[in-house]
Coordinates of all heavy atoms in Angstrom, one line a residue:
K1 N 37.8 137.0 45.6 CA 37.2 135.6 46.0 C 35.7 135.5 45.6 O 35.3 134.5 45.1 CB 37.2 135.5 47.6 CG 38.6 135.3 48.1 CD 38.6 135.0 49.6 CE 40.0 134.8 50.1 NZ 40.0 134.6 51.6
C2 N 35.0 136.6 45.5 CA 33.7 136.7 45.1 C 33.6 136.3 43.6 O 32.8 135.5 43.2 CB 33.0 138.0 45.3 SG 31.3 138.1 44.7
C3 N 34.5 136.8 42.8 CA 34.4 136.5 41.4 C 34.9 135.1 41.1 O 34.3 134.4 40.2 CB 35.5 137.4 40.6 SG 35.0 139.2 40.6
E4 N 35.8 134.5 41.9 CA 36.2 133.2 41.7 C 35.1 132.2 42.0 O 34.8 131.2 41.4 CB 37.4 132.9 42.6 CG 38.7 133.6 42.2 CD 39.9 133.3 43.1 OE1 39.6 132.7 44.2 OE2 41.0 133.7 42.9
K5 N 34.3 132.6 43.1 CA 33.1 131.8 43.4 C 32.1 131.7 42.3 O 31.5 130.8 42.0 CB 32.5 132.2 44.8 CG 33.3 131.9 46.0 CD 32.6 132.4 47.2 CE 33.4 132.0 48.5 NZ 32.8 132.5 49.7
G6 N 31.9 132.9 41.7 CA 31.0 133.0 40.6 C 31.4 132.1 39.4 O 30.6 131.4 38.9
R7 N 32.6 132.1 39.1 CA 33.1 131.3 38.0 C 32.9 129.8 38.3 O 32.5 128.9 37.5 CB 34.6 131.6 37.7 CG 34.8 132.9 36.9 CD 36.1 133.0 36.3 NE 37.2 132.8 37.3 CZ 37.8 133.8 38.0 NH1 37.3 135.1 37.7 NH2 38.7 133.7 38.9
S8 N 33.2 129.4 39.6 CA 33.1 128.0 40.0 C 31.6 127.6 39.9 O 31.3 126.4 39.5 CB 33.5 127.8 41.4 OG 34.9 128.1 41.5
M9 N 30.7 128.4 40.3 CA 29.2 128.1 40.2 C 28.8 127.9 38.8 O 28.0 127.0 38.4 CB 28.5 129.2 40.9 CG 26.9 128.9 41.0 SD 26.5 127.4 41.9 CE 26.9 128.0 43.6
I10 N 29.2 128.8 37.9 CA 28.9 128.7 36.5 C 29.4 127.4 35.8 O 28.8 126.7 35.2 CB 29.4 129.9 35.7 CG1 28.6 131.1 36.1 CG2 29.2 129.6 34.2 CD1 29.2 132.4 35.5
E11 N 30.7 127.1 36.2 CA 31.3 125.9 35.8 C 30.5 124.6 36.3 O 30.2 123.6 35.5 CB 32.7 125.7 36.2 CG 33.6 126.7 35.5 CD 35.0 126.8 36.1 OE1 35.2 126.2 37.1 OE2 35.8 127.6 35.6
M12 N 30.1 124.7 37.6 CA 29.3 123.5 38.1 C 28.1 123.3 37.4 O 27.6 122.3 37.1 CB 29.1 123.8 39.6 CG 28.6 122.6 40.3 SD 28.0 122.8 42.0 CE 29.2 123.9 42.6
L13 N 27.3 124.4 37.1 CA 26.0 124.3 36.4 C 26.2 123.8 35.0 O 25.4 123.0 34.6 CB 25.4 125.7 36.4 CG 24.9 126.3 37.7 CD1 24.4 127.7 37.6 CD2 23.8 125.4 38.3
G14 N 27.3 124.2 34.4 CA 27.6 123.6 33.1 C 27.8 122.2 33.1 O 27.3 121.4 32.3
V15 N 28.6 121.7 34.1 CA 28.9 120.3 34.2 C 27.6 119.5 34.5 O 27.3 118.4 33.9 CB 29.8 120.0 35.4 CG1 29.9 118.5 35.6 CG2 31.3 120.6 35.0
L16 N 26.7 120.1 35.3 CA 25.5 119.4 35.6 C 24.6 119.3 34.4 O 23.9 118.2 34.2 CB 24.8 120.1 36.8 CG 25.5 120.0 38.2 CD1 24.6 120.9 39.2 CD2 25.4 118.6 38.7
A17 N 24.6 120.3 33.6 CA 23.8 120.4 32.4 C 24.3 119.2 31.5 O 23.4 118.5 30.8 CB 23.8 121.7 31.7
I18 N 25.6 119.1 31.3 CA 26.1 118.1 30.4 C 25.8 116.7 30.9 O 25.4 115.9 30.1 CB 27.6 118.3 30.3 CG1 28.0 119.6 29.6 CG2 28.3 117.1 29.6 CD1 29.4 120.0 29.6
V19 N 26.0 116.5 32.2 CA 25.6 115.2 32.8 C 24.2 114.9 32.6 O 23.8 113.7 32.3 CB 25.9 115.2 34.3 CG1 25.4 113.9 35.0 CG2 27.5 115.3 34.5
G20 N 23.3 115.9 32.8 CA 21.9 115.6 32.5 C 21.6 115.3 31.1 O 20.8 114.3 30.9
V21 N 22.2 115.9 30.2 CA 22.0 115.6 28.8 C 22.4 114.2 28.4 O 21.8 113.3 27.8 CB 22.7 116.6 27.8 CG1 22.7 116.1 26.4 CG2 22.1 118.0 27.9
L22 N 23.7 113.9 29.0 CA 24.2 112.5 28.7 C 23.4 111.4 29.4 O 23.3 110.4 28.8 CB 25.7 112.4 29.3 CG 26.7 113.3 28.5 CD1 28.0 113.2 29.2 CD2 26.8 112.8 27.0
S23 N 22.8 111.7 30.6 CA 22.0 110.7 31.2 C 20.8 110.4 30.5 O 20.3 109.3 30.3 CB 21.6 111.3 32.6 OG 22.8 111.4 33.5
V24 N 20.1 111.5 30.0 CA 18.9 111.3 29.2 C 19.2 110.5 27.9 O 18.5 109.5 27.6 CB 18.3 112.6 28.8 CG1 17.1 112.4 27.8 CG2 17.8 113.3 30.0
G25 N 20.3 110.8 27.3 CA 20.7 110.1 26.1 C 21.0 108.6 26.4 O 20.7 107.7 25.6
G26 N 21.7 108.4 27.5 CA 22.0 107.1 27.9 C 20.8 106.2 28.2 O 20.8 105.0 27.8
I27 N 19.9 106.8 28.9 CA 18.7 106.0 29.2 C 17.8 105.7 28.0 O 17.4 104.5 27.9 CB 17.7 106.9 30.2 CG1 18.4 107.0 31.6 CG2 16.3 106.3 30.4 CD1 17.8 108.0 32.5
A28 N 17.8 106.6 27.0 CA 17.0 106.4 25.8 C 17.7 105.2 25.0 O 17.1 104.4 24.5 CB 17.0 107.6 25.0
G29 N 19.1 105.3 25.0 CA 19.9 104.3 24.3 C 19.7 102.9 24.9 O 19.6 101.9 24.2
Y30 N 19.8 103.0 26.3 CA 19.6 101.6 27.0 C 18.2 101.0 26.7 O 18.0 99.8 26.5 CB 19.8 101.9 28.5 CG 19.5 100.7 29.3 CD1 20.5 99.7 29.4 CD2 18.3 100.5 30.0 CE1 20.3 98.5 30.2 CE2 18.1 99.4 30.8 CZ 19.1 98.4 30.9 OH 18.8 97.3 31.6
S31 N 17.1 101.9 26.7 CA 15.8 101.4 26.6 C 15.7 100.8 25.1 O 15.0 99.8 24.9 CB 14.7 102.5 26.7 OG 14.8 103.1 28.0
K32 N 16.2 101.4 24.1 CA 16.2 101.0 22.7 C 16.9 99.7 22.6 O 16.4 98.7 22.0 CB 16.8 102.0 21.9 CG 16.7 101.6 20.3 CD 17.3 102.7 19.5 CE 17.1 102.4 18.0 NZ 17.6 103.5 17.1
A33 N 18.1 99.5 23.3 CA 18.9 98.3 23.3 C 18.1 97.1 23.9 O 18.1 96.0 23.4 CB 20.2 98.5 23.9
M34 N 17.5 97.4 25.0 CA 16.7 96.4 25.7 C 15.5 95.9 24.9 O 15.2 94.7 24.9 CB 16.2 96.9 27.1 CG 17.4 97.0 28.1 SD 18.3 95.4 28.3 CE 16.9 94.4 28.9
R35 N 14.9 96.9 24.2 CA 13.7 96.5 23.4 C 14.1 95.6 22.2 O 13.5 94.6 21.9 CB 13.1 97.8 22.7 CG 11.8 97.5 22.0 CD 11.2 98.8 21.4 NE 10.9 99.8 22.4 CZ 11.6 101.0 22.4 NH1 12.5 101.3 21.6 NH2 11.2 101.8 23.4
K36 N 15.3 95.9 21.6 CA 15.8 95.0 20.6 C 16.2 93.6 21.1 O 15.9 92.7 20.5 CB 17.1 95.6 20.0 CG 17.7 94.9 18.9 CD 18.9 95.5 18.2 CE 19.5 94.7 17.1 NZ 20.7 95.4 16.5
V37 N 16.8 93.6 22.3 CA 17.1 92.2 22.9 C 15.9 91.5 23.1 O 15.8 90.3 22.9 CB 17.9 92.5 24.3 CG1 18.0 91.2 25.0 CG2 19.3 93.1 24.0
R38 N 14.8 92.1 23.7 CA 13.6 91.4 24.0 C 12.9 90.9 22.7 O 12.4 89.8 22.7 CB 12.6 92.3 24.8 CG 13.1 92.5 26.3 CD 12.0 93.2 27.1 NE 12.4 93.5 28.4 CZ 12.7 94.8 28.8 NH1 12.6 95.8 27.9 NH2 13.1 95.0 30.0
S39 N 12.9 91.8 21.7 CA 12.3 91.4 20.4 C 13.0 90.2 19.8 O 12.3 89.3 19.4 CB 12.4 92.6 19.5 OG 11.9 92.3 18.2
E40 N 14.3 90.3 19.8 CA 15.1 89.2 19.2 C 14.9 87.8 20.0 O 14.8 86.8 19.4 CB 16.5 89.5 19.1 CG 16.8 90.6 18.1 CD 18.3 91.0 18.0 OE1 19.0 90.6 18.9 OE2 18.7 91.7 17.1
R41 N 14.9 87.9 21.4 CA 14.7 86.8 22.2 C 13.4 86.2 22.1 O 13.2 85.0 22.0 CB 15.0 87.2 23.6 CG 15.0 85.9 24.6 CD 15.8 84.9 24.2 NE 15.6 83.6 24.8 CZ 15.9 82.4 24.2 NH1 16.4 82.3 23.1 NH2 15.6 81.3 24.9
T42 N 12.3 87.1 21.9 CA 10.9 86.6 21.7 C 10.9 85.8 20.5 O 10.2 84.7 20.5 CB 9.9 87.7 21.8 OG1 10.0 88.3 23.1 CG2 8.5 87.3 21.5
T43 N 11.4 86.3 19.4 CA 11.3 85.6 18.1 C 12.1 84.3 18.2 O 11.6 83.2 17.7 CB 12.0 86.5 17.0 OG1 11.2 87.7 16.9 CG2 11.9 85.8 15.7
T44 N 13.2 84.2 18.9 CA 14.0 83.0 19.0 C 13.2 82.0 19.8 O 13.2 80.8 19.5 CB 15.3 83.3 19.7 OG1 16.1 84.3 18.9 CG2 16.1 82.0 19.8
Q45 N 12.6 82.4 21.0 CA 11.8 81.5 21.7 C 10.7 80.9 21.0 O 10.5 79.7 21.1 CB 11.2 82.3 22.9 CG 12.1 82.8 24.0 CD 11.5 83.6 25.0 OE1 10.5 84.3 24.8 NE2 12.0 83.7 26.3
V46 N 10.0 81.7 20.2 CA 8.8 81.2 19.4 C 9.3 80.2 18.4 O 8.6 79.1 18.2 CB 8.0 82.3 18.7 CG1 6.9 81.8 17.8 CG2 7.4 83.3 19.9
N47 N 10.3 80.5 17.7 CA 10.8 79.6 16.6 C 11.3 78.3 17.2 O 11.0 77.2 16.7 CB 12.0 80.3 15.9 CG 11.6 81.1 14.7 OD1 10.8 80.8 13.9 ND2 12.1 82.3 14.6

C-alpha cells in the first residue's frame, strides 16, 4: 500500500505540473488575443 501511495502522489504532482504549464500558456494566449482585439477595435473606432 505504501508503494501504491507513492506512485499516486508522483502522478498527482505530474498532473499539477502539466495543469500549471497549460494555465500559464492559456493566460499568455488570452492576453495576446485581448490586446489584438483592443488594438483592432481602437483603430476601427478612430476611423
Side-chain angles (χ1 to χ4, degrees):
K1 290 182 179 179
C2 178
C3 294
E4 288 176 355
K5 286 183 179 178
R7 285 197 299 271
S8 297
M9 183 63 71
I10 291 172
E11 289 169 357
M12 190 189 318
L13 290 173
V15 170
L16 289 174
I18 292 171
V19 170
V21 170
L22 292 176
S23 295
V24 171
I27 292 172
Y30 176 77
S31 296
K32 185 176 182 180
M34 286 306 298
R35 188 182 302 115
K36 182 178 181 181
V37 169
R38 289 193 185 101
S39 174
E40 292 178 349
R41 183 54 195 155
T42 296
T43 301
T44 300
Q45 288 175 330
V46 170
N47 273 312

